[in-house]
Amino acid sequence: MNRSNVSVVMSTYNGDRYLENQLDSILNQKFDNQKFDLKIYIRDDGSKDNTQDIIDKYVNNYPDIVNQVDKNNPNIGVKQSFLKLLKLVDGDYYFFSDQDDIWLPNKLDKFLEVFSLHENNIPVGVYSDLWVADANGVSIGKRMKENTSIGQDKDVLPNLLNRYLVTGASFAINKKTVEYVNEVNEEIFDKVNMHDSFIGLLIAMTGSLEFIDEPLVNYRQHGNNVVGAHFETISIVYKLLHPNKMRTSKKQQILNFYLAGTLFKNNVTDKNKKLVMIIDKYVNSKNYITKMKVLLPIRKVLSRNNPNLSLLNCTFLIKFSKEELKVN
């Protein structure tokens, strides 16, 4: 019986304090090893601490499972590091992993169960809720997606225009998705904010993005997180007091959407084509009146809480350069 290859891809950087906890939690996963073959692929992004020593130890102790790729190469940043991993690693299912979290023992099994419900001829992604954990990796009893049902919405793509739903620490994708991602060059990948949000957007636009409403990772919070946990609802007062920050955030969300829609326009599902066309027309318009007319019908997609403010912001304050919109 041929087993499906499950490839965990991990990018490390100065992670010696927590790396062993993370690797142990992956190695201790409970799943059907008659059906699935687990491999861990680590790319170190130029660590200056003892991370490499820990990687060497696990490669030596688990030679059939733990592998290091692209060794002794310079720091390229977390986005490009994960992109490099996807280009170098083979697999049927790819699980992103941070270096400092702890996977609950049934995470792998729960994700693979969802993947089994889908054909692999379209991009499929699965992401779950997470427990917020303290610096010791112990859950504080608070869920990352507490009090929100957005992740369970089957028509998830519009929601990705007003918030980031996918957290890389609890995200996995199928082989078809990787084939799509590997068509994106490094220059374009540099324009997106993070690998997980862009890939989640790509999947929602062209395939199926599934949410598991259960925390399956202890998401460790400490002083060196690249991206930490955020819960606060941003008030209209905050937006008025920090217009540049809000404008930059919204612009990045729209740019991610535009790039994915342009790169994979021939693969966008029928139900998503209208929204993709609207954003394309908006981004490429130089006329304020046209921009407002285009966005008016979807202003509640741009912002659930402050649609009119977001409409004005997008119409008059957000501009895109030719270089930002270049995709080839």
Side-chain angles (χ1 to χ4, degrees):
M1 178 180 177
N2 291 328
R3 295 188 294 173
S4 296
N5 295 317
V6 175
S7 299
V8 176
V9 289
M10 178 188 295
S11 177
T12 59
Y13 180 72
N14 291 348
D16 62 358
R17 187 174 178 184
Y18 308 115
L19 180 56
E20 292 188 68
N21 287 161
Q22 174 68 290
L23 287 170
D24 288 343
S25 75
I26 298 171
L27 291 166
N28 291 326
Q29 288 293 297
K30 302 182 186 304
F31 65 98
D32 189 346
N33 59 17
Q34 298 299 309
K35 291 183 179 181
F36 302 101
D37 183 24
L38 173 65
K39 304 288 187 187
I40 302 171
Y41 296 92
I42 305 171
R43 182 190 180 278
D44 185 65
D45 199 27
S47 291
K48 306 269 193 277
D49 61 1
N50 295 318
T51 295
Q52 185 59 57
D53 293 337
I54 295 171
I55 295 172
D56 289 341
K57 181 176 78 170
Y58 277 79
V59 169
N60 290 330
N61 290 346
Y62 303 93
D64 295 330
I65 301 176
V66 182
N67 308 270
Q68 185 171 10
V69 299
D70 201 36
K71 190 174 181 179
N72 297 324
N73 276 309
N75 181 284
I76 56 176
V78 64
K79 280 189 304 185
Q80 295 293 353
S81 188
F82 274 110
L83 180 63
K84 178 80 75 173
L85 278 160
L86 294 181
K87 289 184 182 297
L88 294 175
V89 171
D90 191 25
D92 296 300
Y93 304 103
Y94 296 73
F95 284 69
F96 294 99
S97 174
D98 288 353
Q99 65 184 3
D100 50 5
D101 300 320
I102 297 174
W103 288 14
L104 273 62
N106 61 340
K107 176 190 171 180
L108 209 60
D109 191 56
K110 290 276 188 178
F111 273 64
L112 292 170
E113 183 180 340
V114 176
F115 276 120
S116 72
L117 302 176
H118 295 270
E119 297 293 332
N120 281 319
N121 59 348
I122 63 168
V124 178
V126 181
Y127 68 107
S128 77
D129 206 343
L130 311 88
W131 289 117
V132 179
D134 62 21
N136 295 315
V138 178
S139 168
I140 64 171
K142 190 173 184 66
R143 293 169 64 150
M144 274 275 289
K145 302 184 187 303
E146 198 167 42
N147 301 321
T148 178
S149 61
I150 289 178
Q152 303 171 57
D153 191 342
K154 287 296 180 182
D155 192 15
V156 70
L157 183 64
N159 292 316
L160 296 176
L161 263 177
N162 60 61
R163 66 177 300 171
Y164 299 114
L165 293 177
V166 176
T167 304
S170 63
F171 186 33
I173 59 181
N174 68 348
K175 188 180 188 72
K176 192 65 175 180
T177 303
V178 175
E179 291 175 5
Y180 278 35
V181 173
N182 285 342
E183 294 179 24
V184 183
N185 63 42
E186 294 179 6
E187 183 180 355
I188 293 174
F189 220 70
D190 265 337
K191 297 178 182 180
V192 306
N193 60 324
M194 286 296 284
H195 61 284
D196 49 6
S197 56
F198 180 74
I199 295 173
L201 184 60
L202 185 162
I203 295 169
M205 197 175 282
T206 63
S208 182
L209 183 63
E210 301 293 336
F211 175 60
I212 299 175
D213 190 15
E214 178 183 351
L216 295 172
V217 174
N218 282 358
Y219 191 50
R220 194 192 305 259
Q221 299 299 288
H222 55 84
N224 297 319
N225 291 89
V226 175
V227 178
H230 300 281
F231 312 97
E232 68 276 6
T233 299
I234 300 176
S235 69
I236 190 169
V237 174
Y238 180 92
K239 291 183 177 184
L240 290 171
L241 291 175
H242 302 85
N244 291 333
K245 185 177 293 187
M246 299 312 303
R247 182 166 66 248
T248 300
S249 176
K250 178 56 65 180
K251 178 179 177 178
Q252 185 64 64
Q253 287 174 324
I254 294 173
L255 181 60
N256 286 357
F257 195 102
Y258 170 80
L259 292 172
T262 302
L263 288 166
F264 300 99
K265 60 184 177 183
N266 295 328
N267 307 103
V268 175
T269 61
D270 289 341
K271 71 174 183 178
N272 291 325
K273 285 180 178 178
K274 183 177 179 180
L275 184 56
V276 170
M277 289 174 62
I278 288 173
I279 295 303
D280 180 83
K281 187 174 181 179
Y282 157 73
V283 165
N284 285 290
S285 176
K286 305 301 180 186
N287 183 282
Y288 292 136
I289 295 176
T290 302
K291 284 185 175 184
M292 181 168 285
K293 284 183 177 179
V294 168
L295 293 180
L296 188 62
I298 65 162
R299 63 190 185 280
K300 290 185 178 180
V301 172
L302 297 173
S303 172
R304 290 192 170 196
N305 297 322
N306 303 294
N308 293 326
L309 179 62
S310 186
L311 175 64
L312 293 173
N313 185 28
C314 292
T315 299
F316 297 106
L317 299 180
I318 293 178
K319 297 179 181 179
F320 299 91
S321 67
K322 287 184 179 181
E323 184 60 33
E324 287 174 323
L325 302 182
K326 184 180 178 182
V327 293
N328 50 37

